[in-house]
Amino acid sequence: MAFSIFRRMDLPRLAQPILEDLSSSMGETSHLGILEGANVRFIAASEPAAAVRVASRLGREIPAYATSTGKAMLASLPTEQLGRLFPTDSLPAVTSHTVQSLADLEKELETVRRQGYSTNREESEDGVASVAVSVANSAGINLAINLAAPVHRLPVSKVATFGRALKDASMRLSEALG
């Protein structure tokens, strides 16, 4: 049922102005991602005008556990569903910083649930950091938005600021989705 609703919605079109506002105000690249099995697919993006920026991941599919976007969505799943998505404890590394066990991922997802946003520090690509939040919607589609920056421009001291901006953008997108 969720996918029949999804097919009638133009999620990228609905998200684009919100992503553009987010990228413009924060000066970093933003994405909308959807959970597809154990992966996240980026279906909309906006890049800032800055010469040095994280390039759009539009259309790319990456293991969900290696991205802030994916972890924001995985945090909403029940433990049993996580076990079906990742049937062994071992998770293949994307970089040397990627979480490599389901047990460690579950601990990280507890933190995501507590703070309301997820982070990625060079887990999907060296030199890139990001923060993401899930997007609530009545269709039950597992969506999240992120802000991605070169790791030197996203120190730990800025993560909460990114999280607040993303929560505001997520609420706007939730309202647009109905």
Side-chain angles (χ1 to χ4, degrees):
M1 185 166 140
F3 287 106
S4 66
I5 294 168
F6 170 67
R7 275 187 240 119
R8 286 181 291 195
M9 283 190 221
D10 187 351
L11 289 174
R13 183 187 59 75
L14 287 171
Q16 198 61 44
I18 295 165
L19 295 176
E20 288 171 4
D21 288 349
L22 189 58
S23 286
S24 176
S25 67
M26 300 303 289
E28 302 297 352
T29 301
S30 61
H31 297 92
L32 173 67
I34 187 167
L35 191 64
E36 293 184 344
N39 297 314
V40 61
R41 177 175 302 280
F42 296 101
I43 61 172
S46 178
E47 294 180 348
V52 176
R53 64 183 176 268
V54 172
S56 164
R57 305 295 189 256
L58 188 60
R60 284 191 54 197
E61 191 172 297
I62 301 173
Y65 60 84
T67 70
S68 63
T69 308
K71 289 186 280 185
M73 293 183 282
L74 292 174
S76 69
L77 301 179
T79 304
E80 305 78 46
Q81 192 170 354
L82 274 177
R84 285 192 299 275
L85 290 175
F86 308 107
T88 65
D89 188 55
S90 180
L91 302 173
V94 177
T95 72
S96 62
H97 301 283
T98 308
V99 64
Q100 294 181 36
S101 77
L102 182 57
D104 288 342
L105 175 62
E106 288 173 331
K107 288 177 195 167
E108 192 169 340
L109 296 179
E110 281 299 319
T111 301
V112 172
R113 290 178 196 108
R114 265 194 325 277
Q115 64 193 14
Y117 57 84
S118 59
T119 60
N120 166 359
R121 295 200 66 78
E122 301 186 276
E123 294 174 64
S124 59
E125 185 173 337
D126 290 329
V128 175
S130 63
V131 179
V133 300
S134 63
V135 178
N137 62 86
S138 60
I141 302 166
N142 216 330
L143 301 168
I145 54 175
N146 82 8
L147 279 165
V151 72
H152 69 276
R153 282 208 313 252
L154 184 48
V156 173
S157 61
K158 287 179 78 174
V159 168
T161 301
F162 275 46
R164 284 189 297 276
L166 284 160
K167 286 176 187 177
D168 290 343
S170 174
M171 287 179 21
R172 286 181 56 205
L173 184 53
S174 290
E175 289 170 6
L177 293 172

